């Protein structure tokens, strides 16, 4: 009977540890982009350009457009700390999801993404050693500028993302303690 109780106790302890321990397979940055919708009077077909939680750049538009995602600048205050060169036509970016049709307006929305996690790791540091974002030690504010080029006119415009927060999570075994 004692052995049975000990086995049950160890099983319960094991289940408890499985619930509060988890593994982060690789170091990564996450981003919270609270900037509202982008409204560009010259490009009404461009509906959204924002960062998703995983640092992927999400672009939504209503018809194939002749725009190029040139680059993404990372800034602290007014200083550019790094640039991700993309130079891809927005139509050729990776699909985020299948296009969908708005039932009310009958508009077809095309959704694309540009994966930038490697660029975040390169610019900010693989171990968050360069700027220590999300730790409270960074001096000033973090900004991201997205450069879009109109391939018809060769004019470049900048979409500024200034209401963002960036967090870093290192790889390894983590303890999850829910707040009560």
């Amino acid at each position: 009977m004692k052995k049975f109780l000990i086995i049950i106790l160890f099983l319960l302890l094991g289940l408890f540890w499985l619930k509060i321990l988890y593994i982060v397979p690789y170091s990564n940055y996450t981003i919270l982009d609270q900037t509202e919708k982008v409204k560009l009077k010259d490009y009404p077909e461009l509906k959204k350009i924002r960062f998703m939680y995983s640092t992927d750049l999400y672009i939504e538009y209503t018809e194939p457009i002749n725009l190029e995602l040139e680059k993404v600048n990372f800034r602290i205050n007014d200083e550019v700390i790094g640039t991700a060169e993309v130079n891809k036509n927005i139509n050729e970016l990776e699909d985020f999801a299948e296009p969908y049709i708005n039932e009310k307006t009958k508009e077809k929305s095309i959704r694309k993404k540009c994966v930038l996690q490697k660029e975040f790791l390169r610019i900010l540091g693989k171990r968050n050693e360069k700027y220590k974002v999300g730790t409270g030690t960074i001096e000033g504010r973090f900004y991201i500028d997205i450069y879009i080029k109109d391939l018809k006119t060769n004019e470049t415009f900048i979409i500024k993302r200034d209401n963002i927060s960036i967090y870093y999570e290192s790889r390894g075994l983590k303890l999850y303690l829910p707040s009560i």
Side-chain angles (χ1 to χ4, degrees):
M1 185 66 170
K2 245 183 179 180
K3 287 183 182 180
F4 179 72
L5 289 174
I6 291 173
I7 290 172
I8 295 295
L9 179 65
F10 276 115
L11 284 172
L12 289 174
L13 274 172
L15 287 172
F16 172 74
W17 282 110
L18 284 174
K19 291 291 183 188
I20 65 169
L21 289 177
Y22 66 98
I23 296 174
V24 176
Y26 53 88
S27 298
N28 65 81
Y29 288 92
T30 55
I31 189 169
L32 179 60
D33 184 353
Q34 299 172 355
T35 311
E36 294 297 317
K37 284 185 178 181
V38 173
K39 295 281 187 198
L40 301 171
K41 64 179 180 182
D42 293 339
Y43 304 98
E45 65 274 10
L46 193 58
K47 299 297 181 190
K48 291 182 185 176
I49 295 182
R50 64 178 175 82
F51 280 93
M52 295 188 291
Y53 184 70
S54 63
T55 69
D56 294 346
L57 183 61
Y58 173 84
I59 301 172
E60 184 176 323
Y61 53 96
T62 56
E63 56 188 58
I65 50 180
N66 206 11
L67 298 176
E68 178 182 84
L69 176 59
E70 278 188 319
K71 64 183 177 179
V72 178
N73 273 353
F74 295 77
R75 290 188 301 123
I76 294 178
N77 297 328
D78 289 328
E79 178 188 349
V80 175
I81 60 169
T83 299
E85 296 288 343
V86 180
N87 297 315
K88 281 190 180 176
N89 188 308
I90 290 177
N91 296 309
E92 296 170 3
L93 292 174
E94 184 179 338
D95 288 333
F96 172 70
E98 290 292 319
Y100 71 93
I101 297 174
N102 184 322
E103 290 179 16
K104 292 179 184 173
T105 63
K106 301 299 181 200
E107 252 182 357
K108 179 181 177 182
S109 287
I110 300 166
R111 300 171 289 175
K112 300 285 187 169
K113 71 177 180 177
C114 181
V115 178
L116 293 171
Q117 185 65 239
K118 287 181 183 177
E119 296 298 325
F120 274 78
L121 290 166
R122 177 181 65 81
I123 293 167
L124 301 175
K126 292 186 191 301
R127 292 179 196 87
N128 197 25
E129 70 276 8
K130 293 182 181 178
Y131 300 97
K132 305 204 181 328
V133 297
T135 62
T137 60
I138 192 169
E139 293 293 326
R141 299 251 336 181
F142 191 83
Y143 302 98
I144 295 179
D145 299 330
I146 303 161
Y147 288 74
I148 306 285
K149 181 179 183 179
D150 186 327
L151 295 172
K152 292 177 188 171
T153 65
N154 271 346
E155 182 182 344
T156 298
F157 55 93
I158 303 169
I159 297 171
K160 296 186 176 288
R161 306 313 278 190
D162 58 0
N163 198 7
I164 59 174
S165 299
I166 296 180
Y167 304 96
Y168 172 78
E169 187 173 32
S170 62
R171 67 180 275 223
L173 191 62
K174 304 292 178 191
L175 183 64
Y176 170 73
L177 295 174
S179 58
I180 298 174

